[in-house]
Amino acid sequence: MHPVDGNSPPPSTEGLGAGPGEAADRVLINDLVRHARSTQGAVQAAVERVLKSGWYVLGEEGESFERDFADYCGTAHCVGVANGTDAIELGLRALGVGAGSRVATVANAGFYTTTALLALGARPVFVDVHRDTKLMDLAQLERVVAGERLDAIVVTHLFGLLHDMAAVLAIAARAGVPVLEDCAQAHGAVRGGRRAGGFGVAAAFSFYPTKNLGALGDGGAVVTGDAGVATRLRRLRQYGWESKYRVGRGGGRNSRLDELQAAVLRAKLPFLGGWNRRRRDIATRYSQEIAHPRVQCPPVHGEEFVAHLYTVVCDDRAELRARLAGAGVATDVHYPVPDHRQLLLSGHGLRPGLPVTDELADSIVTLPCYPELSDAEVTRVISSINTW
């Protein structure tokens, strides 16, 4: 996914820890200062290695990370790009999506896929989501596939929950269209022994700093098992070059994962499994211990959930957020305006009936959930809700 995870704060300060005006004991929605401390030695060594190399773009660090991450995802290829939105755009372009294409996607995931589709000149075909999972409703997808001409399907593993990809792929196969996984919030999620990114023809990842695997700035990648798709991606990320200074493919971009970010991601990748387990443990406590009639929690999940974000549904979001703010607990909303309600699309005729998507946009609240959160802080969040 996804350069901004929420409607506030601004991207330059999101998740960076307590600022000068914030209480030191405030439970933040994310805390990158703590996160940086947890990997300081490994990250510093990686940065120093890049500085000593004198090579900063498309070098050995990038190639090594691409191999490591492809192996991690269980795919043959990984192509690093500049950010997660570029990963979606270039991944779709490599699958043949372009001007006039019609692509099924959801409208509750922050406009990132829609941004990529508009850049391609493609048209989003919005599918409603399931109330419990917040993921694409497969019964709705079946109806869309039966009634619409589609060129691709983008499946977003929202909030860290890996979709039932066997069912998705069966529907896509009947329609004869490729599937791109949006894994920006699902690094390391596992279903049936396969990790997110290993199901579709291609999969897009974001390494924005707040992601489960985050860089020190923007970064992204596309993984694929298709050598032809990988070749097209490598050309598209660098101007469409067939060889140096010789452009052979239209739609190319300057979109490369630099050596510094690649080295940092290589250093952090071995920690990802432990971070995901801690996130899932926190989410499990929330789901088991939050007990309030006006707050609906998601069920307890297994390895298919990496708890990138933990969201609850409340009939009075503003009141709940005010209660938690008064208790020193930060919250956020992911996401307050569904894609089909964005003003940018008002002239495109893209205002379908998506009742569940609209309902969730008005009632969803994100609670703090990240590996460095202490048990006492988790208890504080739970108690603040239960005594509301």
Side-chain angles (χ1 to χ4, degrees):
M1 73 218 245
H2 300 345
V4 182
D5 277 336
N7 59 326
S8 66
S12 60
T13 60
E14 180 195 359
L16 298 182
E22 294 181 290
D25 65 346
R26 186 167 180 250
V27 182
L28 303 178
I29 195 69
N30 210 326
D31 193 335
L32 295 187
V33 173
R34 292 189 199 178
H35 185 68
R37 291 193 195 108
S38 74
T39 56
Q40 185 172 353
V43 168
Q44 282 186 341
V47 171
E48 290 172 4
R49 192 169 64 243
V50 173
L51 293 175
K52 289 177 181 177
S53 76
W55 194 294
Y56 306 129
V57 178
L58 294 184
E60 292 182 4
E61 293 289 347
E63 291 174 358
S64 295
F65 174 70
E66 288 176 344
R67 287 194 298 271
D68 291 350
F69 197 64
D71 288 345
Y72 179 82
C73 294
T75 61
H77 309 279
C78 171
V79 180
V81 296
N83 57 69
T85 308
D86 281 3
I88 297 173
E89 179 186 338
L90 297 182
L92 287 170
R93 191 180 292 278
L95 297 183
V97 172
S101 295
R102 299 172 62 83
V103 178
T105 186
V106 292
N108 70 327
F111 208 77
Y112 306 111
T113 293
T114 299
T115 296
L117 292 173
L118 295 179
L120 290 164
R123 180 184 178 92
V125 178
F126 292 121
V127 181
D128 210 353
V129 298
H130 193 279
R131 182 172 280 98
D132 294 333
T133 65
K134 288 56 168 198
L135 305 180
M136 184 180 283
D137 186 315
L138 296 187
Q140 290 272 344
L141 179 62
E142 287 266 25
R143 287 193 283 273
V144 168
V145 165
E148 301 255 7
R149 175 189 64 80
L150 293 178
D151 298 286
I153 299 169
V154 175
V155 174
T156 301
H157 305 311
L158 195 64
F159 305 147
L161 181 58
L162 178 58
H163 212 319
D164 180 354
M165 288 304 298
V168 171
L169 293 175
I171 295 170
R174 290 195 290 274
V177 297
V179 172
L180 177 88
E181 295 176 71
D182 174 5
C183 301
Q185 299 186 4
H187 311 67
V190 178
R191 192 183 287 273
R194 296 169 69 182
R195 283 200 174 107
F199 294 88
V201 179
F205 285 85
S206 168
F207 303 121
Y208 185 76
T210 58
K211 301 303 183 186
N212 291 39
L213 179 64
L216 296 185
D218 272 320
V222 182
V223 299
T224 180
D226 188 311
V229 170
T231 297
R232 291 193 289 276
L233 283 164
R234 294 186 191 284
R235 292 171 179 168
L236 287 167
R237 74 173 174 184
Q238 185 159 254
Y239 316 114
W241 284 357
E242 299 273 350
S243 58
K244 192 172 182 179
Y245 303 132
R246 297 184 181 275
V247 178
R249 174 172 286 275
R253 300 279 292 280
N254 177 7
S255 181
R256 300 169 294 206
L257 182 68
D258 66 67
E259 290 289 276
L260 179 64
Q261 305 304 339
V264 168
L265 292 167
R266 283 185 69 201
K268 288 185 172 186
L269 184 57
F271 297 94
L272 180 57
W275 291 335
N276 284 345
R277 285 191 293 274
R278 175 59 181 164
R279 286 175 178 270
R280 194 159 46 244
D281 287 346
I282 293 168
T284 296
R285 281 200 61 192
Y286 283 155
S287 292
Q288 291 179 337
E289 297 179 35
I290 292 175
H292 195 290
R294 298 173 65 188
V295 178
Q296 301 170 32
C297 295
V300 173
H301 292 289
E303 289 185 329
E304 70 277 9
F305 184 48
V306 292
H308 173 66
L309 296 170
Y310 185 90
T311 61
V312 299
V313 173
C314 180
D315 61 4
D316 192 335
R317 176 168 68 200
E319 187 178 335
L320 174 61
R321 297 190 72 193
R323 160 64 179 172
L324 290 171
V329 176
T331 60
D332 212 331
V333 177
H334 296 87
Y335 297 91
V337 184
D339 295 14
H340 66 295
R341 300 293 179 190
Q342 294 282 359
L343 289 176
L344 181 64
L345 297 185
S346 61
H348 292 251
L350 297 174
R351 293 223 167 191
L354 302 175
V356 178
T357 297
D358 287 332
E359 176 189 324
L360 291 172
D362 290 337
S363 59
I364 203 162
V365 180
T366 302
L367 305 180
C369 186
Y370 50 93
E372 297 77 26
L373 207 61
S374 71
D375 289 341
E377 288 171 323
V378 175
T379 298
R380 181 172 160 192
V381 175
I382 294 167
S383 176
S384 297
I385 294 174
N386 288 346
T387 57
W388 171 38

